Amino acid sequence: MAVTFVVLLVFVAAAAWWMTAMPGRSHSGPLPPLSDAEVDRRRRLEGHVRVLAGEIGERNVWRPDQLAAAARYVEDQLTGSGHSVVGEDFTAGGVAVRNLVVERRGLILPDEIVVVGAHYDSVMGSPGANDNATGVAALLEIARGIVHRQPRRTVRCAFFVNEEPPLYLTDAMGSLAHARRARRRGETVAAMLSLETIGYYTDAKRSQHYPFPFALFYPATGNFVGFVANLRSRGLVRRSVASFRRHAAFPSEGVAAPGWIPGIGWSDHWSFWQQGYPAVMVTDTALFRYGPYHTREDTPDKVGFDRLARVVGGLERVVAELAD
Ligand SMILES: [Zn+2]
């Protein structure tokens, strides 16, 4: 009986290590002052979030004019930074909707694609500043940065429609349409990052919550950015966290856990898992930290733009390394 218990304990400890141990060390201590480039980045990020969540506001198929306005804003920004935008058009509940996609083709391995995605819709009743104008702003910034780069692999930035419930996990979900199309075309998605709700950070004690049993392994203070994968994407999440930690002086945590655990699959990375592609969500953990999640209170003033600028700077480097 005692032997069985010890064996079980060792097994549980090994499984926990397998899911939670990440390479490198999370940044701790005070954050360095923002560089001039980071101040510029913060200004652009804040501008995007204020337009999407402040001026346009709630945007989804029940607010089709606002959804279209958000798509137009994203398209104008991409065109303005020198991209030609491909629209993936379809209808959802009788409403014409679209994903917006830009690419920088790889020089050496053009058929290996690194997809970075963010959903631009917001849930019913919410202006969606943190969820997910922050992810869209980050992706606009990443897209802007790749225009003049020559990556080895192809980098694709995809702005997805219809991530939020009740369309989440249905055929109307933009990322699912995109991932299915990629599979049909025989595309090799080498890595996918879903930028999902990445703008809220706090140093308050006990501000961070988790689905059971992760509180045993992770910090109680919600000041870090999280990288979340299923077990099959463990290699990708470890590479992403290692890269982020090399380049960003900002706290970070990573996990590779069974996709059925609540929260692990809650964004556009799920769609890529369905098609057998490795995919990771980058997130401030949303409802596990952020009170205004999915409410009318999710407004631009809740977003920490200084810290968002630091996170996005790190993510730019992660994307560059995944593509090289
Ligand atoms: Zn969301």
Side-chain angles (χ1 to χ4, degrees):
M1 192 64 197
V3 173
T4 314
F5 182 72
V6 169
V7 167
L8 189 68
L9 207 62
V10 167
F11 176 78
V12 168
W17 177 85
W18 175 260
M19 292 191 281
T20 62
M22 290 289 138
R25 275 187 58 179
S26 176
H27 176 85
S28 60
L31 302 175
L34 290 182
S35 67
D36 289 351
E38 286 172 322
V39 171
D40 283 348
R41 186 186 299 127
R42 178 188 60 190
R43 183 178 45 74
R44 288 190 297 270
L45 290 166
E46 182 166 0
H48 297 322
V49 171
R50 290 199 182 279
V51 171
L52 289 166
E55 293 174 23
I56 295 173
E58 183 184 339
R59 49 199 178 280
N60 48 50
V61 291
W62 298 275
R63 300 282 181 107
D65 293 346
Q66 285 89 331
L67 188 65
R72 225 164 22 243
Y73 177 77
V74 167
E75 184 167 9
D76 287 348
Q77 292 298 314
L78 292 169
T79 308
S81 50
H83 283 288
S84 48
V85 181
V86 174
E88 296 176 340
D89 296 87
F90 59 103
T91 55
V95 178
V97 295
R98 59 192 339 209
N99 298 325
L100 297 161
V101 181
V102 297
E103 264 189 12
R104 189 84 182 115
R105 237 178 119 67
L107 263 189
I108 314 290
L109 301 166
D111 294 337
E112 294 188 14
I113 306 169
V114 175
V115 177
V116 193
H119 73 85
Y120 68 86
D121 60 317
S122 74
V123 78
M124 221 185 280
S126 174
N130 195 19
D131 181 9
N132 188 31
T134 58
V136 172
L139 190 52
L140 284 173
E141 190 65 11
I142 289 169
R144 183 179 176 277
I146 62 169
V147 170
H148 302 293
R149 289 182 57 92
Q150 298 285 345
R152 277 164 54 86
R153 297 186 173 83
T154 294
V155 178
R156 174 185 296 170
C157 298
F159 298 80
F160 297 124
V161 72
N162 294 354
E163 184 271 350
E164 292 290 0
L167 302 176
Y168 174 66
L169 311 189
T170 71
D171 287 339
M173 192 180 180
S175 57
L176 188 57
H178 184 91
R180 282 176 173 162
R181 178 185 304 210
R183 182 52 80 197
R184 264 199 317 275
R185 292 176 171 180
E187 292 181 344
T188 302
V189 175
M192 189 274 173
L193 298 181
S194 168
L195 310 183
E196 171 63 62
T197 309
I198 56 172
Y200 183 74
Y201 304 92
T202 170
D203 298 312
K205 301 259 179 274
R206 289 187 294 282
S207 49
Q208 183 65 52
H209 308 279
Y210 298 91
F212 182 79
F214 292 101
L216 298 171
F217 308 101
Y218 290 100
T221 303
N223 65 353
F224 62 88
V225 64
F227 292 76
V228 178
N230 62 356
L231 295 173
R232 284 183 64 187
S233 306
R234 180 171 179 268
L236 175 60
V237 76
R238 289 174 59 84
R239 265 187 293 146
S240 303
V241 169
S243 173
F244 187 87
R245 288 177 174 178
R246 273 196 300 277
H247 297 298
F250 194 85
S252 57
E253 301 293 338
V255 68
W260 49 261
I261 292 180
I264 299 289
W266 287 357
S267 187
D268 296 306
H269 55 309
W270 174 89
S271 301
F272 289 75
W273 293 350
Q274 302 316 302
Q275 298 302 318
Y277 294 127
V280 164
M281 170 170 63
V282 184
T283 179
D284 66 18
T285 75
L287 70 165
F288 296 106
R289 172 189 304 175
Y290 182 58
Y293 174 76
H294 280 192
T295 72
R296 69 179 62 212
E297 303 302 322
D298 182 11
T299 47
D301 57 297
K302 311 295 190 318
V303 174
F305 290 104
D306 276 22
R307 294 200 234 195
L308 178 61
R310 297 172 195 275
V311 168
V312 173
L315 291 175
E316 284 190 339
R317 303 297 297 273
V318 173
V319 172
E321 287 198 345
L322 290 174
D324 275 332

